[in-house]
Amino acid sequence: MKGAEPVRAARGVADRAAMAENTSRGLFVLTLLFLLLIAIIIAFSRTFIITVAGTDPAASTAALVVAVVLPLVLMAVTVFQLVRLVRQRALRVPGAALRLRLLLFFVLVAVLSAAPQAMLGITFVNSSMGTWFSSSIGDALRSARDLVISYYNERVDSLGSFMDGPLAPELLRQFAAAPERTWPGVQSLNRGIGALQVFGPDGREIAFAGDPRARLAAAPAAGGTQREDRTGVVILRDAKSMRAGSRSLTAVASALLPTDLFTNVRRITQSLTVFTALDQYRDLFRLVLVGFFFLFSLPIFFITILVSLLLAERITSPIAHLEDATRRVAEGDFSFRILTRSRDELAALVDSFNAMIAELERSRRKLLQAERITAWQEIAQRLAHEIRNPLTPIKLSAQRLLKKYGEKPADFEKVLEPAVASIITEVDNLETMLREFGNFAKLPLPQPAPTPLRALLEEVSDVYRHLSAMVHLELSEVPPALVVSVDRDQMKRVFANLFTNAIHAMPEGGTLSVRADTVKKAQKGYCRIAVRDTGVGIPEADIERIFDPYFTTKKGGTGLGLAIVRRIVFDHGGNVWAESDGLRGTTFFIDLPAVGAAAGASTTVGMPPGAAGAAGGSGA
C-alpha cells in the first residue's frame, strides 16, 4: 500500500497539470477567436453600406451567415458551459459556487462598461442621420456628376464645331502643306484640340502636330466622334474627308482627356445611387445599423462570458484544489499535493499548504512509528505475561514429579499422569498462542481483486455451518451482484473469525445474519457489510477493547482473532467497528472498497435496531 501513495500523488499532480494546461489552451483559443471576430467586424463594416444598399448580393449573403451563425454557435457553447457550471454547483463540486459568483461579477462589469458605449453609439447614429442624408450632399453629388458630363460633352461639341466650321477646309489644306507654321493658328482657334493629323489618299500620314500620344498609324474612317482609351489618357477624335486640288485627304482632330475624369464619373454615379437608396430607406437604415451593432456585439458578449468562465476557473482552481486537498488530508491521505504554475499570492498559499502537508506527513510517520513501537512493546509485555502463566503450572508439575520421584512412593503413577497431562496441556496452549502470534505478525500485504461478496460468504459459511446445528446462517440480504475489491484468502479469514465468534456467542442456538449494501463516503464508494448475531452481547466497557491484541472474554481464547480482523480490513483501506446492547445481539460493521456500480452508489446501509459492532460477543 505504501508504494501506491507516490503513484496516487504523481497521478494527481499529472491530472491537475493537464487541467491547468487545458485551461490555458482554452483561454488562448478564445483570445484568438476574439481577435478574429474583431477583424471580421472591421472587414464587414467597410462593405456594410454597399451590402445594405443591395448592390452586392454575395456580400449580403456572407454578412448574413457571419452575423447569424456565429452568434448561434457561441450562444450554444456558452449555454452548455453555464449549465455545466450550475450542475457542478448543485453537486457541490469544489470551487463551483465561487466560479459562478466570479462569472456573474465579470459579466456585470462587462455589461456596465458596454452599456454606456452602446447608448452612445445609438445616440451618435441617430444624431448623425440628418447630417449623413442632408439634401446638400445629394445636390453636390448630382452637380459634380452633371459638371463632369457637361465638360465631356463640351469637348465633343468643340471637336465637331471645329471640323465643321467654315474655316476648317482652308486651314486644314494649309496645315497639310506647312504643319509647323499652321499649328499655332489651329491652337489659337480652338484650345481644346490636342493633336491634328492629315492622311493622303493612300492612307499614309502627310502632316502631324500636337501630342504624340494621339498619333495614328493609319487613316481612320471619316465621320462622327470616336473614342479611344489608352494608358493614362482618353482620346476623342473627329475625322473628316476633304479635297486639296486633285487629292482626297483625311483630317483627324484629337482631344486628350485624363482617365481620372471617367473614373470619377463612375464613382460619383455609384455614390449617388447608394445615397439615393439609403436616403429613401433612412428609417430602415437606422434600424439596420442598430441591428448590425447588436449582431456583432453578441459574439463579443458570448466570448466575454467564455473568457470569464476560463478566468474564473483559473482563479478558483487553486482554491478548489485547497478544498479538495483539505478534505483528503482529513480522510488521512497525506500524499496529496497541489500543483500551480502561477507566481502570485495564491501560489504562495499553495506552496505553504504543500509544505504543511509534507510536515504533517513526516510527523504522522514519526507518530505511527512511535505507536508501532509502543504497540509492540505492549504486545511483548502481554506475550511475556501470557507465556509466564502456563510456565508456572509447568514448573510446579515438574517440581512435584521430582519430589515424588525422590520419595519413591508406591502411588507415583497417580502423581505422574496428571502432572504430565498438565505439562502437555500448557505446552499445547503455548504452541497455539505462539502460532496465532506468528500469524498476526506475518500477515502479508493484501492483493485485492474484484470478488463477488455473496459467493465469498457462501464459501465461508459452508465450512462453519457444522459448528452448531442450532445456529441458522442467513445470507439472503447480500446482493448477488455486489462486488468488492479484496484479497480473497485474507477476507475468508476475516469472516471465518467473525462467524466462529458469533457461533460461540450463541451456545443455545440463534440466528447469524449477514447483510450488505453500498454507501458513499467522501466521494468514494464502499460496501458496508453487517454481521449480526443474537448471542449474549458484549458489555459496554469491553466494546472498545475487543480489537486490542490479547484482549479476550472467551475462555481459552488467544485475544488475537479480532486484532487480525482489524488489521486485514485496515490493510484493504477499509474500516471495522462493533456495536452491542450488552444483553442480546452484537453486530460487526465492515466498510470495504467497492468496484463497478457500487463505487458510484450513494445509498446508506440501514442498521437494525439495537444492532451493531463486534460479532459474537467476544474478543476472538
Side-chain angles (χ1 to χ4, degrees):
M1 296 299 290
K2 291 181 180 178
E5 292 183 359
V7 175
R8 285 199 308 269
R11 187 181 296 116
V13 169
D15 292 342
R16 292 187 293 277
M19 183 183 299
E21 184 176 354
N22 289 336
T23 302
S24 300
R25 187 183 297 113
L27 187 61
F28 177 72
V29 170
L30 280 180
T31 302
L32 286 182
L33 184 60
F34 182 82
L35 295 177
L36 177 62
L37 183 61
I38 296 299
I40 291 175
I41 291 175
I42 294 176
F44 274 93
S45 64
R46 293 180 176 178
T47 58
F48 181 69
I49 302 299
I50 297 177
T51 302
V52 174
T55 58
D56 191 349
S60 301
T61 303
L64 181 62
V65 171
V66 173
V68 175
V69 174
L70 183 60
L72 289 178
V73 172
L74 290 176
M75 182 176 66
V77 176
T78 303
V79 170
F80 173 78
Q81 293 294 335
L82 289 176
V83 171
R84 177 170 170 266
L85 180 58
V86 171
R87 290 186 60 186
Q88 289 178 349
R89 184 181 182 276
L91 294 175
R92 299 184 181 275
V93 175
L98 180 57
R99 281 199 296 272
L100 185 58
R101 288 197 296 270
L102 282 176
L103 173 64
L104 294 177
F105 172 76
F106 288 148
V107 171
L108 178 62
V109 171
V111 171
L112 291 178
S113 61
Q117 298 180 24
M119 296 302 298
L120 180 62
I122 294 174
T123 303
F124 173 77
V125 170
N126 289 329
S127 61
S128 300
M129 293 296 287
T131 304
W132 294 348
F133 300 112
S134 62
S135 58
S136 58
I137 295 178
D139 294 340
L141 290 174
R142 294 184 185 89
S143 299
R145 182 195 60 185
D146 295 342
L147 181 62
V148 174
I149 294 174
S150 176
Y151 174 75
Y152 176 81
N153 293 332
E154 181 182 349
R155 299 302 297 273
V156 172
D157 294 342
S158 176
L159 279 177
S161 61
F162 173 77
M163 296 297 288
D164 295 333
L167 301 178
E170 182 60 27
L171 188 60
L172 291 175
R173 282 192 291 269
Q174 294 178 5
F175 178 80
E180 296 297 334
R181 189 177 62 221
T182 311
W183 174 245
V186 172
Q187 279 198 316
S188 62
L189 183 63
N190 191 330
R191 295 285 182 182
I193 296 177
L196 191 60
Q197 193 172 10
V198 177
F199 294 91
D202 57 358
R204 295 182 179 181
E205 179 186 289
I206 296 176
F208 177 82
D211 196 322
R213 291 179 296 178
R215 197 164 197 166
L216 292 173
T225 303
Q226 302 173 4
R227 172 180 165 179
E228 180 183 357
D229 294 334
R230 292 190 178 183
T231 303
V233 67
V234 176
I235 303 174
L236 299 177
R237 294 190 180 91
D238 195 333
K240 184 176 182 179
S241 299
M242 63 178 186
R243 298 194 64 82
S246 62
R247 294 186 304 171
S248 175
L249 303 179
T250 301
V252 181
S254 301
L256 282 74
L257 302 176
T259 56
D260 292 344
L261 178 68
F262 299 94
T263 302
N264 291 334
V265 169
R266 285 193 296 271
R267 288 177 179 175
I268 293 173
T269 303
Q270 290 176 355
S271 299
L272 184 59
T273 302
V274 172
F275 178 84
T276 303
L278 295 179
D279 188 31
Q280 183 178 0
Y281 300 101
R282 180 182 304 186
D283 295 334
L284 178 61
F285 179 65
R286 183 185 289 107
L287 294 176
V288 169
L289 281 180
V290 175
F292 169 81
F293 174 81
F294 282 106
L295 280 177
F296 282 98
S297 297
L298 282 177
I300 297 177
F301 178 72
F302 290 136
I303 291 180
T304 301
I305 295 178
L306 294 176
V307 171
S308 300
L309 279 168
L310 289 176
L311 288 176
E313 184 174 356
R314 194 178 184 89
I315 293 172
T316 60
S317 179
I319 300 175
H321 290 160
L322 279 173
E323 181 182 349
D324 188 27
T326 304
R327 177 178 54 80
R328 294 199 182 187
V329 171
E331 295 172 0
D333 183 6
F334 290 88
S335 64
F336 192 84
R337 296 294 183 272
I338 303 175
L339 180 66
T340 180
R341 295 183 178 180
S342 59
R343 293 289 91 195
D344 52 10
E345 292 78 3
L346 286 176
L349 178 61
V350 167
D351 293 339
S352 300
F353 181 85
N354 288 336
M356 180 189 70
I357 297 303
E359 183 61 31
L360 282 175
E361 187 175 13
R362 287 191 293 268
S363 300
R364 174 173 170 268
R365 289 176 181 175
K366 292 178 181 178
L367 180 60
L368 289 176
Q369 183 67 20
E371 288 179 351
R372 289 193 187 100
I373 294 174
T374 302
W376 280 107
Q377 287 176 346
E378 183 179 354
I379 291 174
Q381 292 174 359
R382 292 188 178 185
L383 182 60
H385 176 72
E386 295 295 332
I387 293 176
R388 190 180 299 113
N389 289 338
L391 288 178
T392 300
I394 291 174
K395 181 179 180 180
L396 291 176
S397 298
Q399 289 175 346
R400 184 181 180 189
L401 285 175
L402 183 61
K403 180 180 178 181
K404 289 294 183 180
Y405 180 77
E407 295 176 354
K408 304 293 184 180
D411 57 349
F412 180 72
E413 292 183 357
K414 296 181 179 180
V415 177
L416 177 62
E417 291 181 0
V420 172
S422 176
I423 291 173
I424 292 174
T425 300
E426 297 301 334
V427 170
D428 288 341
N429 291 338
L430 279 174
E431 288 181 352
T432 301
M433 180 174 56
L434 291 176
R435 184 171 59 253
E436 290 292 332
F437 176 78
N439 291 335
F440 174 73
K442 295 180 180 179
L443 278 175
L445 290 176
Q447 303 297 324
T451 304
L453 179 61
R454 177 73 172 267
L456 178 64
L457 289 170
E458 289 177 347
E459 185 177 346
V460 176
S461 64
D462 290 341
V463 178
Y464 284 88
R465 289 182 191 274
H466 70 279
L467 291 180
S468 177
M470 295 182 293
V471 174
H472 176 66
L473 188 58
E474 178 61 51
L475 302 177
S476 61
E477 294 189 69
V478 179
L482 194 57
V483 179
V484 291
S485 179
V486 296
D487 186 309
R488 188 180 187 87
D489 293 333
Q490 291 191 14
M491 200 52 56
K492 286 170 62 176
R493 187 171 183 180
V494 167
F495 291 117
N497 273 293
L498 297 182
F499 288 1
T500 301
N501 286 352
I503 292 173
H504 287 167
M506 297 181 289
E508 298 181 359
T511 301
L512 172 58
S513 61
V514 183
R515 62 183 303 177
D517 206 337
T518 54
V519 296
K520 197 169 187 179
K521 299 190 301 182
Q523 307 301 321
K524 293 182 180 179
Y526 289 89
C527 174
R528 176 163 294 174
I529 307 165
V531 181
R532 184 176 186 270
D533 65 60
T534 57
V536 296
I538 301 176
E540 185 178 354
D542 297 336
I543 199 71
E544 297 295 334
R545 303 176 58 197
I546 60 175
F547 293 103
D548 294 343
Y550 297 107
F551 176 84
T552 181
T553 60
K554 182 171 59 177
K555 185 178 180 179
T558 63
L560 290 175
L562 292 182
I564 292 174
V565 167
R566 182 172 65 174
R567 176 167 175 181
I568 291 175
V569 173
F570 281 10
D571 286 348
H572 279 77
N575 190 22
V576 58
W577 70 97
E579 292 182 4
S580 177
D581 58 8
L583 297 175
R584 181 175 178 82
T586 303
T587 306
F588 272 131
F589 289 102
I590 302 175
D591 283 351
L592 294 172
V595 296
S602 59
T603 58
T604 303
V605 173
M607 300 182 184
S618 73

